[in-house]
């Protein structure tokens, strides 16, 4: 059965968001490294890599369904590093993850309402992953 057109488009947009998250975490990692905050640098670098893995997971899924992800322009969700530090980065990370959770929910809802159960099944992994992502950053601010 064909993937729902709506779900395909939302996943394409989501892939770009995952790359944007990766770019944001890469920026945080680099800033921490040059400020001799190596532990935070490693922490954010790991997150940057995870986001690339998320993007690739979506791409592989679209490929498996015979659909193409046309590379898109990536806008970093965080700019303006001057005067900012680790607490700002963790707050920005939590905000970004909450936004990503919303967009994953939108895709999940679309899959459900279009009767695209293959996509719904696939997306369940991301719903669970977002719980972990939000907890990682939320716990740092608790
Ligand atoms: Fe891919 O979950 Fe974070 O953004």
């Amino acid at each position: 059965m064909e993937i729902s057109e709506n779900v395909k488009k939302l996943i394409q947009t989501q892939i770009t968001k995952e790359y944007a998250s990766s770019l944001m975490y890469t920026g945080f990692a680099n800033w921490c490294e040059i400020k001799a905050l190596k532990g935070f640098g490693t922490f954010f670098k790991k997150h940057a890599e995870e986001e690339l893995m998320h993007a690739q997971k979506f791409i592989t899924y679209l490929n498996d369904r015979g659909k193409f992800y046309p590379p898109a322009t990536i806008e970093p969700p965080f700019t303006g590093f001057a005067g900012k530090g680790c607490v700002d980065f963790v707050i920005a990370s939590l905000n970004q993850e909450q936004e990503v959770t919303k967009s994953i929910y939108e895709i999940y809802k679309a899959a459900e309402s279009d009767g695209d159960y293959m996509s719904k099944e696939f997306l369940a992994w991301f719903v669970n992953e977002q719980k972990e992502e939000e907890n990682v950053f939320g716990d740092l601010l608790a």
Side-chain angles (χ1 to χ4, degrees), residues 18 21 25 51 54 96-97 100 130 133:
E18 301 291 344
S21 293
Y25 291 131
E51 300 304 345
H54 294 169
Q96 173 69 3
E97 292 308 332
V100 167
Q130 282 313 114
E133 301 266 284

Side-chain angles (χ1 to χ4, degrees), residues 6-22 51-52 54-59 62 69-70 72 74 96-108 122-123 126-127 130 133:
N6 194 21
V7 169
K8 180 199 82 177
K9 283 190 184 140
L10 289 169
I11 288 179
Q12 287 169 330
T13 303
Q14 185 63 36
I15 292 166
T16 306
K17 286 184 190 172
E18 301 291 344
Y19 281 126
S21 293
S22 181
E51 300 304 345
L52 291 182
H54 294 169
Q56 189 55 57
K57 208 171 167 73
F58 275 118
I59 289 170
L62 280 191
Y69 166 65
I74 299 162
Q96 173 69 3
E97 292 308 332
Q98 287 170 339
E99 283 307 310
V100 167
T101 300
K102 277 188 215 160
S103 58
I104 298 279
Y105 282 5
E106 284 308 308
I107 314 172
Y108 193 90
F122 166 75
L123 288 159
F126 282 93
V127 171
Q130 282 313 114
E133 301 266 284

Side-chain angles (χ1 to χ4, degrees), residues 25-69:
Y25 291 131
T26 299
F28 295 164
N30 294 343
W31 187 98
C32 291
E33 293 236 333
I34 63 167
K35 301 286 182 187
L37 295 163
K38 300 259 183 214
F40 270 105
T42 304
F43 171 80
F44 282 118
K45 198 169 164 194
K46 182 178 154 282
H47 275 278
E49 284 163 7
E50 267 188 33
E51 300 304 345
L52 291 182
M53 181 272 279
H54 294 169
Q56 189 55 57
K57 208 171 167 73
F58 275 118
I59 289 170
T60 301
Y61 179 70
L62 280 191
N63 288 350
D64 285 348
R65 306 291 308 270
K67 301 297 174 190
F68 180 61
Y69 166 65

Side-chain angles (χ1 to χ4, degrees), residues 1 14-15 20 27 35 55-56 62 68 80-81 93-96 101 110 115 117 120 122 132 136 141:
M1 198 164 170
Q14 185 63 36
I15 292 166
K35 301 286 182 187
Q56 189 55 57
L62 280 191
F68 180 61
F81 281 75
S93 302
L94 180 59
N95 289 341
Q96 173 69 3
T101 300
Y117 297 110
K120 194 178 156 194
F122 166 75
E132 284 177 26
V136 164
L141 295 168

